[in-house]
Amino acid sequence: VALGNAPDTDSISCAILSGSILEQTLVIDTTALNLKDTFGSIQLESCDKQSCFVPITYTYNIMNIGDTPMEVTTVMRTRGTSMVDLIGIVEDRNVEVGESTVAREIKELDVCVNVDEETRIRVEADPPQGIPCFSEDDYEL
């Protein structure tokens, strides 16, 4: 968010890193938000009654850190009691050694309500030969 004489921005970006590896990116559209004070700390004063919901994009990076190519077979996202397989939005299901792919999920976030949201992602993948593998991560927003 711009402060002072800097130009206004239309979004807030949040990146979650594990070392130097980008794990998740969150972009919040701020065009419908009103700020109480643009000098000092940011404090949300109000939302337009019709604009409490802002679209955000979850980007899940799936990396092959093994020594054999993998085919991603499941990307299970659990949020609260909702479980959804995101395999249909994975950009490339076949991931070579050292390469990565992503799944992007668009959701509306109610910025007028303060709620902690925990997301669990479980990725399963099969090598051409051998035992399938999986990885699981938790994120809190």
Side-chain angles (χ1 to χ4, degrees):
V1 174
L3 301 176
N5 294 328
D8 290 335
T9 58
D10 293 332
S11 65
I12 296 173
S13 296
C14 177
I16 298 174
L17 300 171
S18 176
S20 63
I21 299 170
L22 180 66
E23 296 288 341
Q24 180 180 1
T25 304
L26 173 66
V27 178
I28 300 173
D29 179 0
T30 60
T31 56
L33 303 179
N34 299 309
L35 296 179
K36 181 176 183 178
D37 183 0
T38 58
F39 300 97
S41 64
I42 298 173
Q43 180 178 350
L44 183 64
E45 181 180 60
S46 67
C47 297
D48 182 326
K49 289 181 182 177
Q50 313 231 335
S51 300
C52 281
F53 293 94
V54 295
I56 62 170
T57 302
Y58 289 94
T59 302
Y60 307 106
N61 291 309
I62 303 164
M63 299 172 22
N64 183 350
I65 59 172
D67 57 6
T68 185
M70 291 283 182
E71 178 186 357
V72 179
T73 57
T74 302
V75 180
M76 187 63 64
R77 190 261 301 139
T78 304
R79 190 175 295 128
T81 59
S82 170
M83 292 180 64
V84 177
D85 191 350
L86 304 176
I87 192 66
I89 60 172
V90 175
E91 287 186 0
D92 187 0
R93 292 178 55 184
N94 296 306
V95 185
E96 296 295 323
V97 174
E99 292 186 357
S100 63
T101 188
V102 298
R104 289 187 178 87
E105 178 185 27
I106 299 173
K107 179 182 185 260
E108 286 192 333
L109 181 67
D110 186 347
V111 296
C112 297
V113 177
N114 185 14
V115 176
D116 290 332
E117 183 174 83
E118 186 172 317
T119 300
R120 172 171 288 170
I121 295 292
R122 178 183 171 95
V123 176
E124 298 177 10
D126 291 336
Q129 300 170 347
I131 300 172
C133 66
F134 73 92
S135 180
E136 191 169 272
D137 286 305
D138 294 321
Y139 305 97
E140 190 170 332
L141 175 65

